[in-house]
Amino acid sequence: MFPRIALAATVLSISLTAPLAKAQESAITPEELITSFSLDNGMEVVVVEDHRVPVVQHMVWYRAGSADEPIGQSGVAHFLEHLLFKGTETLAPGELSATVAANGGRDNAFTSYDYTAYYQRVASDRLELMMRMESDRMVNLRLSEQDIVTEREVILEERNQRTDNNPRALFGEQLNAAQYLNHRYGQPVIGWRHEMEELDMADALSFYGTYYAPNNAILVVSGDVDPAEVKSLAETYYGVIPANPDLPQTRDRSKEPPQNAERRVIYRDPRVAQPYVQRAYLAQERDAGAQETAAALFLLSELLGGGTTSYLANALQFDQQVAVYTGAFYSGVSLDATSFDFLVVPAEGVSMEEAEAALDASVAKFMEEGVDDEQLDRIKLQLRASEIYARDNVDGIANRYGRALTSGLTVQDVQDWPQILQSITSDEIIAAAQDLLRPEASVTGWMMRQEEAE
């Protein structure tokens, strides 16, 4: 959880004067850039045109992530992601990546709770080659027992490096597990080590056979492309793959029960460099056709903890000087309920109890005072600028649509989101905050050094 928060803390450092006005004058609306359609076998296709550079990004997103894994097989979605770089009937192990590199491109893949995605970024005249290889491994994966043994060791070492040797990651795992009592969001994407050690060929092939099918996939192509050409190529390479008739009609996930007890996590580790307090509330996700509450929560996170001009920064870092860092974070792109997080790093000599009490008092004061309309207007202006400049990032646009569509949203929802953000009022933000800030749906965590605990 913490790496996601740290990443969010780097967003929105944008100049907002003459460049914004110029960008607004020349901006092209998203509707003019996006073409979407479906193949006969149920595969969705989204085309994002940008003809300024002769480069294309080709992405295949599967509606299958760690939250879709069978009980007892945590980590199998990520394990399969690794295995897909092994061979097929026509591609030798490693040949796909080697071919991309030989054509001057780059490729990779990633797994999250709600999706697994594979991509290649190459010159636009190499698009057909990418489709031919990617469609091949959608159905023709061939694995040996040695592949299983080798990649299982790779993912275990990955967990060792990224999680087991990282106190922040271990703390985040414990917070997630406490936040979600029954939903699979409570397990780490990479998996629990004791279950990862047991993953085998049957587990990987079962997940592959269930979820890797065109009717469970979204093709996103962005860059210097023509939608008609993309459609023709997609029909040639992906359209001939039969749909999986046994694909579950709904994503069969365990449901989170009503939460009626606040929870606390204290994590002690001698490797902790900087103790901090983190508070997470169960929060509503962005829902198709109903994104207003999520938009209000996003703006709430910016008002409270979106940088050095935010409410918490002014109150805790500058006025009271009880913290050296504060933040509030919310990402609504999630198929099921997500979280809204606060983070406070105490100043030297400030205890965890004092830091937590100061956070609670500041949030309560914010609720009493209400939203500063001038600050809200500044944030909305920043968001307008960010949306305009984001159109220069073809990779980012492709990721935005892929994440949204695999999380239950539509192309129209993605296009509507900026205007919904602009339409949210101060009263709607406070109402969303009142519904959110329920102690019984919260987890408070302290990450501490071992000697502090003693």
Side-chain angles (χ1 to χ4, degrees):
M1 181 181 292
F2 186 79
R4 180 179 64 190
I5 288 175
L7 177 62
T10 66
V11 178
L12 294 178
S13 57
I14 300 173
S15 171
L16 297 174
T17 54
L20 172 58
K22 183 177 180 181
Q24 287 176 321
E25 289 173 3
S26 62
I28 302 173
T29 63
E31 290 82 358
E32 292 174 312
L33 298 172
I34 308 301
T35 303
S36 61
F37 53 89
S38 295
L39 304 181
D40 290 342
N41 58 10
M43 187 174 191
E44 294 183 45
V45 183
V46 176
V47 183
V48 184
E49 292 182 73
D50 186 337
H51 301 286
R52 289 174 291 181
V53 179
V55 173
V56 63
Q57 177 144 310
H58 171 266
M59 307 188 77
V60 172
W61 297 72
Y62 293 97
R63 293 183 179 91
S66 64
D68 301 293
E69 296 166 340
I71 293 175
Q73 296 179 25
S74 65
V76 71
H78 176 248
F79 185 36
L80 180 60
E81 175 211 310
H82 278 246
L83 292 171
L84 237 70
F85 288 87
K86 300 300 182 180
T88 69
E89 293 178 350
T90 60
L91 291 170
E95 184 178 351
L96 187 150
S97 292
T99 301
V100 174
N103 282 272
R106 58 182 174 85
D107 74 314
N108 213 325
F110 48 88
T111 304
S112 189
Y113 294 107
D114 297 318
Y115 52 78
T116 307
Y118 302 83
Y119 71 88
Q120 303 87 33
R121 183 168 173 81
V122 294
S124 53
D125 61 357
R126 302 296 195 274
L127 178 59
E128 181 173 7
L129 175 61
M130 299 304 108
M131 284 202 190
R132 183 166 69 242
M133 293 191 296
E134 192 65 74
S135 62
D136 182 36
R137 66 174 173 177
M138 180 181 283
V139 287
N140 294 320
L141 182 64
R142 294 295 177 266
L143 300 174
S144 67
E145 284 298 335
Q146 186 57 47
D147 292 332
I148 297 297
V149 173
T150 300
E151 288 307 313
R152 189 167 54 215
E153 289 302 316
V154 169
I155 62 172
L156 286 168
E157 180 57 25
E158 185 177 339
R159 179 180 168 89
N160 184 55
Q161 292 181 359
R162 296 187 178 183
T163 305
D164 296 338
N165 288 323
N166 185 341
R168 293 182 304 177
L170 291 170
F171 176 56
E173 280 190 345
Q174 296 302 311
L175 281 176
N176 274 345
Q179 180 75 78
Y180 295 96
L181 300 178
N182 195 47
H183 196 283
R184 303 290 281 169
Y185 286 167
Q187 71 178 20
V189 172
I190 198 170
W192 298 115
R193 174 173 286 275
H194 67 283
E195 293 185 346
M196 295 168 66
E197 292 172 341
E198 302 297 323
L199 294 173
D200 59 21
M201 175 87 77
D203 298 332
L205 291 181
S206 175
F207 199 81
Y208 178 70
T210 299
Y211 295 110
Y212 279 55
N215 51 325
N216 197 46
I218 301 162
L219 171 64
V220 182
V221 180
S222 59
D224 185 25
V225 292
D226 174 65
E229 180 186 3
V230 172
K231 184 174 184 179
S232 177
L233 290 172
E235 289 172 340
T236 298
Y237 292 102
Y238 293 106
V240 296
I241 301 174
N244 177 11
D246 298 321
L247 180 72
Q249 294 301 304
T250 59
R251 297 174 78 166
D252 188 18
R253 295 176 167 188
S254 53
K255 305 299 182 184
E256 188 67 14
Q259 296 196 355
N260 53 21
E262 58 185 294
R263 286 151 245 164
R264 303 190 71 85
V265 172
I266 299 178
Y267 179 78
R268 303 179 178 92
D269 194 311
R271 301 170 295 178
V272 171
Q274 177 63 69
Y276 59 87
V277 177
Q278 186 168 334
R279 169 83 55 73
Y281 291 88
L282 197 67
Q284 182 177 320
E285 74 282 3
R286 283 170 61 181
D287 291 325
Q291 302 182 88
E292 286 75 14
T293 297
L297 291 175
F298 180 81
L299 292 171
L300 176 68
S301 72
E302 292 298 316
L303 286 162
L304 284 172
T308 56
T309 62
S310 67
Y311 191 90
L312 291 178
N314 283 317
L316 303 184
Q317 294 175 236
F318 304 125
D319 293 344
Q320 302 174 44
Q321 298 185 1
V322 297
V324 296
Y325 176 79
T326 58
F329 310 95
Y330 170 78
S331 176
V333 182
S334 176
L335 186 64
D336 299 313
T338 183
S339 65
F340 186 108
D341 296 77
F342 293 104
L343 189 67
V344 177
V345 178
E348 187 69 27
V350 177
S351 70
M352 304 292 269
E353 293 94 338
E354 290 170 332
E356 183 181 338
L359 169 65
D360 289 336
S362 295
V363 172
K365 187 176 180 182
F366 170 85
M367 295 297 291
E368 291 175 3
E369 295 176 349
V371 173
D372 181 333
D373 287 330
E374 289 187 3
Q375 178 71 353
L376 178 59
D377 289 341
R378 283 193 293 270
I379 289 171
K380 288 182 176 181
L381 180 62
Q382 290 176 330
L383 291 174
R384 285 199 298 272
S386 179
E387 176 67 22
I388 291 168
Y389 298 141
R391 296 171 194 169
D392 290 334
N393 184 347
V394 176
D395 295 5
I397 293 174
N399 274 275
R400 188 193 315 160
Y401 279 91
R403 288 178 60 233
L405 293 173
T406 50
S407 301
L409 299 173
T410 66
V411 169
Q412 190 63 52
D413 290 322
V414 177
Q415 294 175 343
D416 289 345
W417 178 248
Q419 288 306 313
I420 292 175
L421 286 171
Q422 296 299 319
S423 72
I424 298 300
T425 66
S426 299
D427 290 343
E428 289 173 315
I429 293 172
I430 294 299
Q434 290 171 339
D435 290 338
L436 170 76
L437 300 173
R438 297 178 297 114
E440 64 271 20
S442 73
V443 178
T444 303
W446 292 1
M447 189 172 85
M448 307 171 65
R449 299 188 185 99
Q450 188 68 42
E451 61 269 21
E452 289 176 330
E454 294 171 353

